[in-house]
């Protein structure tokens, strides 16, 4: 697959499924674009901005489990991205749900700040981690990046915010794509 083909594939996925919602008051595409904008605003490197942009790609490639989306979207999305991008992009995506579970254990007040749809999906995704599981997660090579991605993910759910459109990211996607 060429980099141009990958951009076209991502555009097709966003066009086909990006208008769907999962209970957050914004479409999945709006959420992904907001998450990428937050990453860019904080000076994240290009790999991290693209991870933020594509962190919910698993919702686009799998059928929803319920009205809140596909609960294993992290694993599906991480695998899809790993075939197309380096680990700096795919691994934070693969781990961003685990990061939510971790934060619920490591920072008890975090759970109360989750949106209701995110609290619902948390239960479908295994709930807060046990202490031993949290320690294992924290030791993973991309755990810090997954936690940072998770925090942008939590904030990227605001209706009516104007952010840069998907084509703004095409050059980064082409440059970072595996050949």
């Amino acid at each position: 697959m060429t980099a141009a083909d990958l951009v076209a594939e991502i555009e097709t996925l966003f066009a086909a499924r990006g208008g769907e919602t999962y209970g957050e008051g914004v479409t999945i595409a709006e959420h992904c674009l907001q998450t990428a904008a937050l990453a860019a605003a904080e000076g994240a490197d290009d790999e991290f901005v693209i991870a933020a942009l594509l962190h919910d790609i698993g919702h686009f490639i799998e059928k929803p489990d319920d009205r809140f989306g596909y609960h294993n979207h992290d694993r599906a999305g991480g695998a899809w991205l790993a075939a197309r991008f380096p680990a700096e992009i795919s691994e934070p995506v693969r781990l961003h749900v685990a990061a939510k579970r971790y934060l619920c254990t490591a920072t008890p007040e975090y759970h109360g700040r989750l949106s209701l749809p995110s609290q619902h999906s948390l239960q479908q995704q295994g709930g807060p981690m046990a202490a031993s599981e949290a320690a294992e997660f924290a030791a993973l090579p991309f755990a810090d990046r997954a936690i940072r991605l998770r925090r942008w993910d939590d904030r990227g759910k605001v209706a009516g915010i104007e952010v840069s459109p998907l084509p703004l990211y095409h050059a980064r996607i082409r440059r970072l794509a595996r050949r």
Side-chain angles (χ1 to χ4, degrees):
M1 171 181 294
T2 68
D5 291 338
L6 178 56
V7 166
E9 183 178 21
I10 291 168
E11 280 284 352
T12 298
L13 290 169
F14 268 75
R17 305 278 307 275
E20 296 176 12
T21 62
Y22 45 5
E24 295 289 0
V26 294
T27 66
I28 301 173
E30 289 169 330
H31 169 63
C32 290
L33 291 166
Q34 286 182 27
T35 304
L38 289 165
E42 289 188 18
D45 60 38
D46 285 349
E47 290 83 359
F48 216 177
V49 170
I50 296 305
L53 175 69
L54 301 176
H55 78 281
D56 275 350
I57 199 83
H59 285 293
F60 295 165
I61 60 175
E62 298 290 342
K63 294 188 188 307
D65 294 322
D66 58 28
R67 66 187 178 104
F68 299 113
Y70 179 60
H71 299 300
N72 291 321
H73 69 281
D74 53 328
R75 286 175 267 177
W80 188 90
L81 291 168
R84 293 160 176 83
F85 291 102
E88 289 78 14
I89 294 172
S90 63
E91 284 301 289
V93 171
R94 184 181 68 81
L95 296 172
H96 82 280
V97 166
K100 175 173 64 171
R101 295 181 62 226
Y102 169 83
L103 286 167
C104 286
T105 299
T107 312
E109 66 275 7
Y110 175 80
H111 183 273
R113 292 193 306 255
L114 291 174
S115 66
L116 291 177
S118 195
Q119 288 179 20
H120 168 81
S121 65
L122 172 67
Q123 294 313 308
Q124 305 304 312
Q125 296 158 337
M129 290 180 171
S132 61
E133 196 177 8
E136 288 176 22
F137 172 81
L140 294 172
F142 289 95
D144 289 344
R145 286 175 76 94
I147 291 167
R148 197 164 164 208
L149 174 57
R150 182 73 232 171
R151 294 198 183 275
W152 294 323
D153 182 353
D154 292 332
R155 292 176 26 221
K157 302 173 182 179
V158 182
I161 287 186
E162 299 245 353
V163 294
S164 299
L166 186 57
L168 175 75
Y169 300 98
H170 287 181
R172 291 181 196 181
I173 291 169
R174 283 192 299 271
R175 189 173 52 72
L176 296 169
R178 285 198 173 157
R179 304 275 185 250

